[in-house]
Amino acid sequence: MRRPFITLLAASALSVTGNILTMLAVPWFVLDTTGSAGLTGLAAFATTFPIVVSAAFGGTIVDWMGFRGASVVSDLASGLIVLAIPVLFVTTGLSYQALLLLLFVRWLAATPGETARKAMVPDLSALGRIRLERATAACDGVSRGATMVAAPLAGVLILWLGPTVLLLFDAITFLLSAALIGLGVPRVGHERGPREPGDSGGYVSDLRDGMTFLWRDRLQMSATTMIVVTNMLDTGVTQVLLALYAREATGDPRAFGLLTGALGAGAVAGAIVYGAAGERLPRRLTYGCCFLIAGVPRILVLALGAPFPVALAVTALSGFAAGAINPILGVLQFDRIPVRLRARVLSSITAAAYAGMPVGGLLAGSLTELTGLTFTLSAFACVYLLASVPPFVFRAWRELDPQQPAST
């Protein structure tokens, strides 16, 4: 019975598409209505900071509500909030302060839905008799593919229809996602469902249980630490350093887009290949090698001033390696996190992963101003190399391979 899992993938694709549409439509909308770069930056903050807050504190609520219910409620709320932006703008008017509030609440509401859909993956894959490696690779491939398609689509739609209409499309994607999950995904056997009186020690206690579980699991703490560091570095590379390299190496802004697109396309291909062959590969060695290849070469080749075609090829190769990372992390998380704690532990991991990202752009920009692009790229490559070491040297990582007994 694979239809529920396929429905989950479709809903996730719609939700990711909606997120990308918002991320591109809002800056244009603010610039069109205010003309201020500073106010546009503040709006960008209002779309990122609530993700960290909601991920940190919303997972417990997802566990209480049940995964399917939380996904539907989250998408409905997100869709209605996004819909309010263009409706208010063309009717009664929309102040900038009201826009910031709507954006903040919209992302607070959207993040639990992403957690809930991810939490449903192991149960729905088991229902459809799909290997977990293939299921996690499919989810990651769909997410990356939707991102790769939605970004240029959003640019075209903004040009043709304007950002206001694009926000309307964003609202529709969330409402469709809610309908798909509500009508096409059953309540799986391991899902707790809504909270019953006396079912827990209270919100604070349940939140602490999830964080304590993550803290005591040496393998997952090591994996999360790696992601925190490299997400910070990746943000600096993609938002600052790639653009600077493209300007210096080619003088053509299209080079920036090609490098970004090559990374995304390679990641989609890598996720597809891992989904087909991942169950036959050793997890720890595959994860360690892919993590190393995904980061260091594509940064180092820029630091060495390689010709643009070489940088493009290496970036695509790094993207291909990156395609296996999230599926393996998904298997690790689903194998070790108890169902009753699944959403709150996943939320804690997400919050940590996002927390360092705003620092990455600031670090890349300031360090480049002080030392130059080549030194900054070299420093980022060295830190990425150090962050890639744990799977090869720490004993806890041996537990990633199926034949090793898991322990916390």
Side-chain angles (χ1 to χ4, degrees):
M1 189 178 178
R2 297 189 174 187
R3 183 176 297 178
F5 180 74
I6 295 172
T7 301
L8 176 68
L9 293 180
S12 297
L14 283 169
S15 182
V16 170
T17 299
N19 287 338
I20 298 300
L21 294 181
T22 297
M23 287 180 180
L24 272 72
V26 166
W28 282 99
F29 180 79
V30 176
L31 284 173
D32 278 352
T33 55
T34 69
S36 170
L39 294 180
T40 304
L42 185 58
F45 177 80
T47 65
T48 53
F49 179 67
I51 297 176
V52 180
V53 175
S54 185
F57 299 104
T60 300
I61 298 175
V62 174
D63 277 329
W64 285 0
M65 292 181 64
F67 306 145
R68 187 183 66 168
S71 178
V72 172
V73 171
S74 173
D75 280 344
L76 282 175
S78 300
L80 293 175
I81 293 168
V82 173
L83 182 62
I85 296 175
V87 169
L88 290 174
F89 178 72
V90 300
T91 55
T92 62
L94 180 67
S95 68
Y96 179 74
Q97 292 77 8
L99 173 64
L100 288 184
L101 178 62
L102 287 171
L103 289 175
F104 190 90
V105 177
R106 175 254 191 266
W107 286 101
L108 279 180
T111 306
E114 295 182 12
T115 300
R117 284 185 291 277
K118 184 174 181 179
M120 284 189 276
V121 169
D123 296 317
L124 293 182
S125 64
L127 183 65
R129 298 181 181 179
I130 303 169
R131 294 275 302 187
L132 193 54
E133 289 85 356
R134 294 188 178 184
T136 55
C139 291
D140 188 57
V142 164
S143 177
R144 292 182 186 274
T147 300
M148 188 172 62
V149 172
L153 177 62
V156 172
L157 291 176
I158 289 174
L159 181 63
W160 286 356
L161 305 174
T164 304
V165 178
L166 190 58
L167 288 170
L168 179 61
F169 280 112
D170 179 16
I172 292 172
T173 63
F174 278 104
L175 297 178
L176 289 175
S177 174
L180 284 174
I181 295 295
L183 300 175
V185 175
R187 187 182 299 279
V188 290
H190 296 297
E191 191 173 349
R192 295 179 67 199
R195 181 191 179 198
E196 298 294 336
D199 192 34
S200 73
Y203 175 82
V204 174
S205 176
D206 284 0
L207 180 67
R208 184 174 58 246
D209 287 345
M211 293 182 175
T212 300
F213 178 86
L214 178 61
W215 177 258
R216 290 178 176 175
D217 190 321
R218 294 175 300 165
L219 174 54
Q220 293 203 86
M221 274 300 299
S222 178
T224 301
T225 302
M226 291 174 67
I227 295 300
V228 171
V229 174
T230 55
N231 272 4
M232 179 185 70
L233 297 175
D234 285 340
T235 301
V237 171
T238 56
Q239 292 188 358
V240 179
L241 301 181
L242 273 185
L244 293 174
Y245 167 83
R247 187 181 64 181
E248 292 188 6
T250 69
D252 189 339
R254 289 176 295 181
F256 178 33
L258 286 173
L259 287 169
T260 305
L263 187 68
V268 172
I272 293 172
V273 171
Y274 182 79
E279 61 192 64
R280 298 189 293 273
L281 299 174
R283 289 180 190 166
R284 181 176 67 89
L285 185 60
T286 301
Y287 183 86
C289 292
C290 285
F291 204 99
L292 184 64
I293 297 171
V296 176
R298 65 184 171 92
I299 302 175
L300 190 59
V301 73
L302 302 181
L304 295 175
F308 180 72
V310 175
L312 191 64
V314 173
T315 299
L317 176 63
S318 290
F320 183 82
I325 293 175
N326 285 342
I328 296 176
L329 280 177
V331 173
L332 162 65
Q333 292 160 0
F334 296 142
D335 276 350
R336 298 172 71 92
I337 302 173
V339 177
R340 65 182 183 85
L341 299 176
R342 188 181 292 164
R344 70 196 81 166
V345 176
L346 291 177
S347 287
S348 298
I349 294 171
T350 300
Y354 273 91
M357 292 172 67
V359 179
L362 295 175
L363 179 63
S366 58
L367 190 59
T368 302
E369 287 285 340
L370 291 172
T371 64
L373 179 60
T374 299
F375 181 87
T376 302
L377 286 166
S378 300
F380 271 47
C382 290
V383 176
Y384 220 119
L385 178 62
L386 291 175
S388 304
V389 166
F392 300 104
V393 299
F394 291 167
R395 290 180 60 87
W397 279 90
R398 298 179 184 179
E399 299 172 8
L400 184 59
D401 290 319
Q403 66 269 22
Q404 296 294 333
S407 63
T408 56

